[in-house]
Amino acid sequence: MHEHTVFSDKLVRLRSILLECESVCIGYSGGVDSVFLAKYALDHLGGDRVLAVTGRSAAIPEAQWQTARDCALRFGIPHLEVATEELADPAYAANPSNRCYFCKTELWNVLTPIAATRGIKAVVDGSNADDALDYRPGFEAAREWGVRSPLMEAGLTKQEIREASRALNLPTWDQPSSPCLSSRLPYGLGVTPERLRQIETAEACLRDLGFREFRVRHHGDAARLEFAFGELRIAIDQRASIAAALRRSGFRRVLLDVEGYRSGRLNEGLQLVQIGALNP
Amino acid sequence: MDFRIARAQRLLRENGVEADPTVAGHADDILSLRASFTELDRLREMAPELKSLGFRYVTLELDTEAASES
């Protein structure tokens, strides 16, 4: 009962944050969080005060654009797609540990004028309360551009957003987390359209084989596969098909990580002090 | 030979795991093992110790055909 009350209070808080914003331009990737935020904003502000904008680049898989498009169409969310050029920025392409800062800087640099020309008062993103616990250099860019994070401000966790999404019949409620394809490259290995294409093709093949929670990590000529614990043994049973698909994607070596999938594994080598410093 | 590989070989042998270790990845931070897939659970248990030898990840070579070519 208490948990339910806290959850309800957070949704009330979210509504009041959105009303305080008056009108919102949402960084809309088609993931669990931004789809929920867009639908909730639509329900409480109305269609003339909401614009969901998807930044399109090679770092976002085609399947995710499609989800973004489908949800906008299905629920009547005003939607716009714009090209973003983060790959043309050498600082981003070098893939430093604060790569997300450069990506988000480009995104907000594109979205902010769109909001301004349409008289939209606030630019917002779908960051949630759990994100504050991870290493997210993109927060710095959001702060610099004055972008608000209503879900985080309301204290909503990923699990709560999934529950609320389910209640709203959003098809994304149980969709696996979907960070950009560049997150599959270890820091220091350059982000190129070719590498992103390899990852996208390989992950699409694994989805076609029936896997849901996994990552293809790009390590040059080797692909390191992380599967959720429940899918690890299935992966071993299907290893011939997996290896063939990954080799077709251009990888010479196909490696199965024995520890499996955990979100943010490429951040594990970073110092906690750095996380504290960059998530102010 | 990479001293980390020699140590990994010794550690695997001491634990009764038959495996052929190599280094992989652009940053040479992946321990790649050619071993029976029935060893998965044991290798997962050993992963922290194997990583402490200087690797970031412990993996099983899934594509044995490619491994034999390399």
Side-chain angles (χ1 to χ4, degrees):
Chain A
M1 180 62 187
H2 175 66
E3 274 182 22
H4 182 72
T5 306
V6 170
F7 183 30
S8 302
D9 287 350
K10 289 180 183 180
L11 291 175
V12 170
R13 171 82 183 123
L14 176 60
R15 182 173 178 273
S16 69
I17 291 166
L18 291 169
L19 291 172
E20 186 184 297
C21 290
E22 296 182 31
S23 52
V24 290
C25 174
I26 303 169
Y28 176 75
S29 66
V32 180
D33 302 320
S34 65
V35 169
F36 169 71
L37 180 59
K39 177 66 166 72
Y40 201 81
L42 178 73
D43 291 349
H44 294 277
L45 294 177
D48 56 338
R49 292 184 182 192
V50 174
L51 178 65
V53 183
T54 303
R56 291 191 55 159
S57 81
I60 308 298
E62 179 70 38
Q64 197 168 330
W65 291 340
Q66 199 54 54
T67 302
R69 241 179 257 142
D70 291 348
C71 287
L73 196 63
R74 178 169 162 188
F75 296 105
I77 300 165
H79 183 219
L80 191 65
E81 293 182 356
V82 292
T84 56
E85 304 290 341
E86 63 271 21
L87 266 84
D89 178 356
Y92 175 90
N95 198 12
S97 60
N98 64 339
R99 179 196 65 237
C100 298
Y101 169 81
F102 301 103
C103 174
K104 296 300 182 190
T105 295
E106 165 66 4
L107 182 66
W108 305 133
N109 182 42
V110 171
L111 263 63
T112 302
I114 291 172
T117 55
R118 291 167 188 245
I120 297 173
K121 298 278 178 60
V123 178
V124 300
D125 71 9
S127 299
N128 65 55
D130 292 330
D131 295 332
L133 307 173
D134 196 7
Y135 173 58
R136 302 283 170 137
F139 290 165
E140 181 65 11
R143 192 187 59 76
E144 287 173 3
W145 284 87
V147 173
R148 292 185 69 172
S149 304
L151 302 175
M152 187 188 287
E153 289 178 41
L156 283 159
T157 64
K158 189 78 170 192
Q159 187 53 40
E160 289 168 337
I161 292 163
R162 288 189 187 282
E163 283 174 35
S165 297
R166 189 177 194 177
L168 290 174
N169 291 318
L170 302 181
T172 46
W173 77 270
D174 66 342
Q175 179 176 286
S177 295
S178 46
C180 80
L181 295 171
S182 299
S183 69
R184 299 352 178 227
L185 292 158
Y187 298 128
L189 183 63
V191 182
T192 66
E194 293 74 24
R195 286 177 176 147
L196 296 175
R197 232 182 339 264
Q198 268 185 286
I199 296 163
E200 183 172 7
T201 306
E203 292 199 347
C205 290
L206 293 181
R207 266 191 299 276
D208 287 347
L209 288 170
F211 294 100
R212 265 179 60 82
E213 243 190 306
F214 62 86
R215 292 284 185 268
V216 174
R217 307 288 189 188
H218 198 307
H219 292 267
D221 68 342
R224 181 174 56 82
L225 309 184
E226 294 177 3
F227 287 96
F229 189 71
E231 296 187 335
L232 208 46
R233 297 204 176 278
I234 304 168
I236 287 175
D237 292 342
Q238 296 198 37
R239 60 185 179 273
S241 310
I242 293 172
L246 271 282
R247 295 197 84 189
R248 279 198 303 277
S249 306
F251 293 103
R252 287 198 63 245
R253 298 181 76 173
V254 186
L255 310 173
L256 181 72
D257 194 303
V258 301
E259 294 182 292
Y261 168 63
R262 281 200 306 275
S263 176
R265 280 199 67 190
L266 292 174
N267 287 338
E268 285 177 359
L270 298 174
Q271 296 296 312
L272 285 174
V273 63
Q274 192 178 5
I275 294 176
L278 286 171
N279 286 348
Chain B
M1 177 192 269
D2 188 322
F3 75 95
R4 296 174 301 169
I5 290 296
R7 289 180 184 176
Q9 267 173 339
R10 190 164 63 233
L11 184 60
L12 290 161
R13 213 169 29 239
E14 283 168 4
N15 283 273
V17 179
E18 274 188 45
D20 179 17
T22 56
V23 176
H26 82 292
D28 286 344
D29 56 355
I30 302 175
L31 176 63
S32 171
L33 302 167
R34 291 188 70 191
S36 165
F37 293 101
T38 59
E39 299 285 14
L40 178 66
D41 289 337
R42 204 134 56 117
L43 289 171
R44 190 186 304 117
E45 284 170 16
M46 291 178 67
E49 207 175 348
L50 288 164
K51 288 198 290 190
S52 74
L53 302 176
F55 299 100
R56 212 162 186 177
Y57 309 104
V58 179
T59 64
L60 271 167
E61 196 92 37
L62 201 62
D63 187 359
T64 50
E65 185 187 343
S68 61
E69 285 172 16
S70 62

